[in-house]
Amino acid sequence: MNDVHNFTSDHEGRLFDPAARAAMTRFAGSDDTLALEAAAAVRIAFNAIERMRAHGAEGRGLSSGAMDILLRLGAETDGISIGDLALAAGVSSRNVTGLIDTLERDGLARRAPAPHDRRSVLVGITPAGQEWIENFRRPTQAAMAAIFRGFTDDDLARLRHLCLRLADNQTALAQHLEGAR
């Protein structure tokens, strides 16, 4: 599904979504909607990137979630526990277990006993998994170049920084709220 957006520019030349602004103004009951509009823009951008990732991964037989796990496995030399994979991916261990089941069934990953504790299991990438990543590398780089067309290196570094600040702020807020219970 391709969403059609009707973005426009404000007086400073910055894009905004008039429909989101109108909805947020009604929701907030005021014109102070910048943070709400920014959150809506993050969702729009996330969904756009996820649609691109899903299109590329599914064309190669993987969900975008399985692809994310496979790429993380490709960066590990000694394997990684399911719990550590879940933490790194920001999803539940149950979710990762299902994704590993799929990757293992497809011959792209394998489980093995951890050398330090036979009760623990480490997940590693197979040669077929490494080959999958190699075949996916160039199309992914081309897609990312297209989706970030017109962005400077400084723009990309600032975007990365701002997104990670959002994630840090959410973590701090969640910890605060958890402590308030």
Side-chain angles (χ1 to χ4, degrees), residues 24-46:
M24 297 308 154
T25 299
R26 280 190 303 278
F27 172 76
S30 73
D31 289 338
D32 185 17
T33 62
L34 192 54
L36 294 168
E37 286 183 63
V42 168
R43 280 191 304 278
I44 291 167
F46 170 78

Side-chain angles (χ1 to χ4, degrees), residues 47-58:
N47 289 332
I49 289 172
E50 278 302 296
R51 280 191 304 276
M52 175 147 320
R53 284 175 39 122
H55 175 75
E58 288 170 1

Side-chain angles (χ1 to χ4, degrees), residues 15 18-19 32 34 41 48 54 57 73 76 81 85 95 97 102-103 116 118-119 125 134 146 159 161 165:
L15 290 175
D32 185 17
L34 192 54
L73 290 174
E76 296 292 329
S81 72
L85 269 173
N95 187 312
T97 298
T102 298
L103 293 171
H116 63 281
R118 291 186 299 178
R119 295 171 297 171
I125 193 165
E134 287 305 315
L159 179 61
H161 172 76
R165 276 182 55 197

Side-chain angles (χ1 to χ4, degrees), residues 96-153:
V96 171
T97 298
L99 295 171
I100 294 299
D101 289 345
T102 298
L103 293 171
E104 200 169 33
R105 183 191 67 232
D106 293 346
L108 304 174
R110 69 174 164 260
R111 291 178 174 97
H116 63 281
D117 182 356
R118 291 186 299 178
R119 295 171 297 171
S120 296
V121 173
L122 296 179
V123 181
I125 193 165
T126 64
Q130 287 289 2
E131 182 180 344
W132 192 99
I133 290 173
E134 287 305 315
N135 291 334
F136 192 61
R137 185 180 323 275
R138 285 206 197 288
T140 298
Q141 289 169 327
M144 290 299 110
I147 205 164
F148 289 108
R149 183 180 59 238
F151 284 60
T152 66
D153 285 350

